[in-house]
Amino acid sequence: MLELRPNCECCDRDLPPDAADAMICTFECTFCAACAADVLGGTCPNCGGNLVARPIRPAKMLERYPASAKRVLKAEGCSPPGRKAA
């Protein structure tokens, strides 16, 4: 089951399960569309994979398969892959 994380790992913006601007990589790292495009250039800083639109889980399915409540935030901040955060 895909883990729907509740926030952007870069800016900590809330990304509810129905967020149309949530981006995700194959390891379920989650970012808002603004950070994914403007800061990360469409590449996950954790694994180097591409970031794609996160699917929206229908509300009726959230009852049985709830979204994650665990917030993940990069303590060192975000920078494009291959470059250390300032």
Side-chain angles (χ1 to χ4, degrees), residues 7 11 14 18 28-30 36 50 57-58 75-76:
N7 66 304
C11 70
D14 288 338
D18 62 350
E28 301 175 354
C29 303
T30 304
N50 64 320
R57 189 168 300 155
E76 70 278 8

Side-chain angles (χ1 to χ4, degrees), residues 13 25 28 32 44 46 76:
R13 179 173 169 235
C25 78
E28 301 175 354
C32 68
C44 179
N46 302 319
E76 70 278 8

Side-chain angles (χ1 to χ4, degrees), residues 27-69:
F27 289 100
E28 301 175 354
C29 303
T30 304
F31 305 94
C32 68
C35 286
D38 300 339
V39 177
L40 304 172
T43 302
C44 179
N46 302 319
C47 70
N50 64 320
L51 296 169
V52 299
R54 183 180 73 183
I56 293 172
R57 189 168 300 155
K60 70 178 187 172
M61 297 304 289
L62 283 169
E63 294 171 19
R64 185 168 178 188
Y65 304 103
S68 174

Side-chain angles (χ1 to χ4, degrees), residues 6-28:
N7 66 304
C8 174
E9 288 186 31
C10 282
C11 70
D12 202 29
R13 179 173 169 235
D14 288 338
L15 294 171
D18 62 350
D21 62 341
M23 305 295 284
I24 195 167
C25 78
T26 190
F27 289 100
E28 301 175 354

